[in-house]
Amino acid sequence: MSSPLVDLLVREHAAIGEFLELLAQESDAMTHGEFKRLPGLAERKSQLADQIALIGRQREMEQQALGYAPGRNGCDAAALDGGEALQTAWSNLLARAAQAHECNHRNGVMIHTHLDYTRQSINFLKASGQPLYGPDGTHKTGSSSGSRFAVG
Protein backbone atom coordinates (compact mmCIF):
# COMPACT_ATOMS: atom_id res chain seq x y z
CA MET A 1 0.00 0.00 0.00
CA SER A 2 0.90 3.64 -0.06
CA SER A 3 4.12 4.54 1.67
CA PRO A 4 2.93 8.18 2.01
CA LEU A 5 -0.08 6.97 4.01
CA VAL A 6 2.13 4.90 6.31
CA ASP A 7 4.46 7.91 6.71
CA LEU A 8 1.54 10.15 7.67
CA LEU A 9 0.29 7.62 10.21
CA VAL A 10 3.77 7.43 11.73
CA ARG A 11 4.01 11.25 11.86
CA GLU A 12 0.58 11.49 13.47
CA HIS A 13 1.56 8.80 15.99
CA ALA A 14 4.74 10.72 16.89
CA ALA A 15 2.87 14.01 17.28
CA ILE A 16 0.34 12.37 19.60
CA GLY A 17 3.31 11.00 21.57
CA GLU A 18 4.53 14.58 22.06
CA PHE A 19 1.01 15.53 23.13
CA LEU A 20 1.08 12.72 25.71
CA GLU A 21 4.34 14.13 27.09
CA LEU A 22 2.67 17.53 27.51
CA LEU A 23 -0.30 15.90 29.22
CA ALA A 24 2.09 14.21 31.66
CA GLN A 25 3.76 17.56 32.37
CA GLU A 26 0.34 19.15 32.89
CA SER A 27 -0.68 16.40 35.30
CA ASP A 28 2.61 16.74 37.17
CA ALA A 29 2.17 20.51 37.45
CA MET A 30 -1.31 20.14 38.92
CA THR A 31 -0.27 17.34 41.25
CA HIS A 32 2.55 19.48 42.65
CA GLY A 33 0.53 22.72 42.77
CA GLU A 34 2.65 24.38 40.07
CA PHE A 35 -0.29 26.13 38.45
CA LYS A 36 1.86 28.87 36.92
CA ARG A 37 3.16 26.26 34.46
CA LEU A 38 -0.33 25.53 33.10
CA PRO A 39 -0.77 28.49 30.70
CA GLY A 40 2.48 27.67 28.86
CA LEU A 41 1.58 24.00 28.69
CA ALA A 42 -1.91 24.84 27.43
CA GLU A 43 -0.42 27.00 24.69
CA ARG A 44 1.96 24.23 23.61
CA LYS A 45 -0.89 21.69 23.72
CA SER A 46 -3.00 23.93 21.49
CA GLN A 47 -0.18 24.31 18.97
CA LEU A 48 0.44 20.58 18.94
CA ALA A 49 -3.28 19.84 18.60
CA ASP A 50 -3.30 22.07 15.51
CA GLN A 51 -0.31 20.16 14.13
CA ILE A 52 -2.02 16.81 14.79
CA ALA A 53 -5.18 18.04 13.06
CA LEU A 54 -3.14 19.16 10.03
CA ILE A 55 -1.45 15.76 9.76
CA GLY A 56 -4.87 14.11 10.12
CA ARG A 57 -6.24 16.22 7.25
CA GLN A 58 -3.22 15.28 5.12
CA ARG A 59 -3.80 11.62 5.95
CA GLU A 60 -7.45 11.89 4.95
CA MET A 61 -6.51 13.54 1.65
CA GLU A 62 -4.09 10.67 0.98
CA GLN A 63 -6.81 8.16 1.85
CA GLN A 64 -9.18 9.84 -0.57
CA ALA A 65 -6.52 9.93 -3.29
CA LEU A 66 -6.27 6.16 -2.85
CA GLY A 67 -10.05 5.80 -3.21
CA TYR A 68 -10.99 5.53 0.47
CA ALA A 69 -13.40 7.65 2.46
CA PRO A 70 -12.02 10.24 4.88
CA GLY A 71 -12.05 9.56 8.61
CA ARG A 72 -11.70 6.43 10.63
CA ASN A 73 -13.82 4.22 8.41
CA GLY A 74 -11.71 5.10 5.38
CA CYS A 75 -8.47 4.38 7.18
CA ASP A 76 -9.90 1.16 8.61
CA ALA A 77 -10.62 0.04 5.03
CA ALA A 78 -7.24 1.21 3.75
CA ALA A 79 -5.49 -0.65 6.55
CA LEU A 80 -7.40 -3.85 5.78
CA ASP A 81 -6.35 -3.61 2.13
CA GLY A 82 -2.87 -2.23 2.73
CA GLY A 83 -0.79 -4.94 4.24
CA GLU A 84 1.02 -5.40 7.51
CA ALA A 85 2.93 -2.09 7.64
CA LEU A 86 -0.21 -0.03 7.16
CA GLN A 87 -2.23 -2.18 9.58
CA THR A 88 0.45 -1.85 12.24
CA ALA A 89 0.80 1.92 11.77
CA TRP A 90 -3.00 2.38 11.96
CA SER A 91 -3.35 0.13 15.00
CA ASN A 92 -0.51 1.95 16.79
CA LEU A 93 -2.10 5.31 16.01
CA LEU A 94 -5.49 4.24 17.33
CA ALA A 95 -3.95 2.92 20.55
CA ARG A 96 -1.96 6.09 21.13
CA ALA A 97 -4.95 8.30 20.34
CA ALA A 98 -7.04 6.38 22.87
CA GLN A 99 -4.29 6.82 25.46
CA ALA A 100 -4.12 10.58 24.78
CA HIS A 101 -7.91 10.85 25.02
CA GLU A 102 -7.88 9.11 28.42
CA CYS A 103 -5.00 11.23 29.77
CA ASN A 104 -6.60 14.44 28.52
CA HIS A 105 -9.90 13.44 30.15
CA ARG A 106 -8.13 12.66 33.45
CA ASN A 107 -6.38 16.05 33.38
CA GLY A 108 -9.69 17.73 32.67
CA VAL A 109 -11.21 16.07 35.72
CA MET A 110 -8.25 17.29 37.80
CA ILE A 111 -8.69 20.83 36.51
CA HIS A 112 -12.42 20.84 37.24
CA THR A 113 -11.80 19.42 40.70
CA HIS A 114 -9.35 22.25 41.46
CA LEU A 115 -11.82 24.81 40.08
CA ASP A 116 -14.68 23.40 42.15
CA TYR A 117 -12.54 23.49 45.29
CA THR A 118 -11.53 27.09 44.59
CA ARG A 119 -15.15 28.12 43.95
CA GLN A 120 -16.31 26.44 47.15
CA SER A 121 -13.55 28.15 49.12
CA ILE A 122 -14.44 31.54 47.70
CA ASN A 123 -18.14 30.99 48.39
CA PHE A 124 -17.34 29.95 51.97
CA LEU A 125 -15.28 33.08 52.50
CA LYS A 126 -17.98 35.28 50.98
CA ALA A 127 -20.70 33.64 53.08
CA SER A 128 -19.27 35.01 56.32
CA GLY A 129 -20.16 38.50 55.14
CA GLN A 130 -17.08 40.01 56.74
CA PRO A 131 -13.75 40.60 55.09
CA LEU A 132 -10.91 38.45 56.35
CA TYR A 133 -8.36 41.23 55.97
CA GLY A 134 -8.69 44.94 56.48
CA PRO A 135 -7.20 47.58 54.19
CA ASP A 136 -4.16 47.75 56.48
CA GLY A 137 -3.44 44.01 56.06
CA THR A 138 -4.77 43.13 59.50
CA HIS A 139 -6.39 39.71 59.69
CA LYS A 140 -9.87 40.14 61.11
CA THR A 141 -11.30 37.34 63.22
CA GLY A 142 -14.66 37.97 64.82
CA SER A 143 -14.49 40.77 67.38
CA SER A 144 -10.76 40.51 68.10
CA SER A 145 -8.39 43.23 67.09
CA GLY A 146 -6.63 40.97 64.56
CA SER A 147 -3.03 40.32 63.76
CA ARG A 148 -0.88 41.86 61.10
CA PHE A 149 0.20 39.66 58.18
CA ALA A 150 1.18 42.49 55.89
CA VAL A 151 3.15 45.45 57.05
CA GLY A 152 3.61 48.28 54.75
Side-chain angles (χ1 to χ4, degrees):
M1 178 59 71
S2 169
S3 178
L5 185 54
V6 172
D7 292 344
L8 287 165
L9 290 169
V10 169
R11 284 181 48 214
E12 197 171 356
H13 182 268
I16 293 173
E18 291 178 44
F19 194 80
L20 278 166
E21 289 175 20
L22 290 175
L23 289 170
Q25 291 175 30
E26 182 180 62
S27 175
D28 184 65
M30 286 185 286
T31 300
H32 293 97
E34 299 170 351
F35 298 103
K36 290 183 180 182
R37 290 177 48 201
L38 294 179
L41 289 169
E43 176 63 28
R44 288 175 32 212
K45 277 177 46 183
S46 178
Q47 291 168 352
L48 197 49
D50 290 343
Q51 180 184 344
I52 292 166
L54 175 63
I55 297 168
R57 285 191 301 275
Q58 292 169 341
R59 173 181 45 80
E60 288 186 346
M61 288 182 351
E62 181 65 23
Q63 285 170 221
Q64 288 177 305
L66 294 169
Y68 296 97
R72 181 173 180 158
N73 290 338
C75 208
D76 282 343
L80 282 175
D81 295 343
E84 189 176 336
L86 186 56
Q87 290 170 6
T88 299
W90 181 235
S91 176
N92 289 343
L93 176 62
L94 290 177
R96 185 163 275 183
Q99 183 182 8
H101 177 76
E102 176 60 33
C103 289
N104 198 44
H105 175 74
R106 184 181 61 239
N107 285 4
V109 168
M110 287 174 60
I111 288 168
H112 286 288
T113 299
H114 282 290
L115 286 173
D116 287 344
Y117 174 77
T118 300
R119 282 187 201 109
Q120 289 173 6
S121 297
I122 289 170
N123 288 337
F124 173 78
L125 294 173
K126 285 181 176 179
S128 71
Q130 296 182 14
L132 291 176
Y133 298 97
D136 63 352
T138 303
H139 176 69
K140 305 218 181 249
T141 55
S143 61
S144 70
S145 62
S147 62
R148 240 175 235 272
F149 285 116
V151 179

